[in-house]
Amino acid sequence: MRRIFPTLAIIGIALAVPLGGAVPAAAQDYAMPVLTKTEPAETSEVAGPVNEVVLEFDGEVDLVEVKLLTPDQREIKLYAADGSDADKKGVWFALTLPEPATMPGTWLIDYSVSKSFPDGKASATSAYSGFTIIDPAPGKPQAEADATE
């Protein structure tokens, strides 16, 4: 019995070490690219008007949907992969607004992206990025307020 116990303990340790170690390399290949840059920049304050939104990722993604949420809670569709827009795949996307954003307050860029992997698996994520359009100086038109900054 004394000889069997140490042998079983060694076998148990030998089996447990690989199972509790690092994440297998195959699992690490399924990392979702991360948003690295937006324009307007995250938490920035801009004088407006904003004419386009730029999203940049650290790896290739399929754009699924992008919309702006206005300070008064309206949604403005910039892109949807529902067949009404051409498919977009890449690391950098510039999306033109249907009309310039000028309303003072916090605007949110609501985006959804996905990534397909060579083995047929896929992953998706959705998130927000925000910026604030500031009020022009009281009594000044927007163009004049922009020129003084």
Side-chain angles (χ1 to χ4, degrees):
M1 185 69 162
R2 287 184 175 185
R3 289 185 179 167
I4 293 175
F5 181 73
T7 304
L8 290 176
I10 292 171
I11 291 172
I13 291 170
L15 290 174
V17 170
L19 296 176
V23 176
Q28 294 175 359
D29 294 341
Y30 295 109
M32 190 69 190
V34 175
L35 182 70
T36 57
K37 181 180 176 185
T38 62
E39 289 179 26
E42 173 75 26
T43 70
S44 66
E45 292 185 347
V46 297
V50 173
N51 295 308
E52 78 174 359
V53 167
V54 175
L55 303 173
E56 186 174 334
F57 296 85
D58 66 356
E60 187 171 79
V61 296
D62 294 307
L63 204 56
V64 175
E65 182 177 48
V66 180
K67 56 189 170 186
L68 276 180
L69 304 177
T70 67
D72 62 355
Q73 304 304 308
R74 290 181 300 120
E75 290 185 0
I76 301 170
K77 175 191 148 195
L78 300 182
Y79 176 80
D82 59 6
S84 61
D85 292 315
D87 288 346
K88 292 187 182 283
K89 183 179 215 159
V91 296
W92 185 86
F93 306 94
L95 304 162
T96 302
L97 278 61
E99 59 184 58
T102 57
M103 180 186 298
T106 300
W107 292 70
L108 295 175
I109 305 167
D110 178 5
Y111 66 92
S112 299
V113 295
S114 67
K115 177 156 179 75
S116 299
F117 298 96
D119 63 359
K121 293 184 180 181
S123 185
T125 191
S126 296
Y128 293 93
S129 176
F131 62 94
T132 301
I133 295 180
I134 57 175
D135 243 335
K140 288 187 180 180
Q142 182 69 45
E144 188 179 328
D146 290 344
T148 60
E149 293 182 357

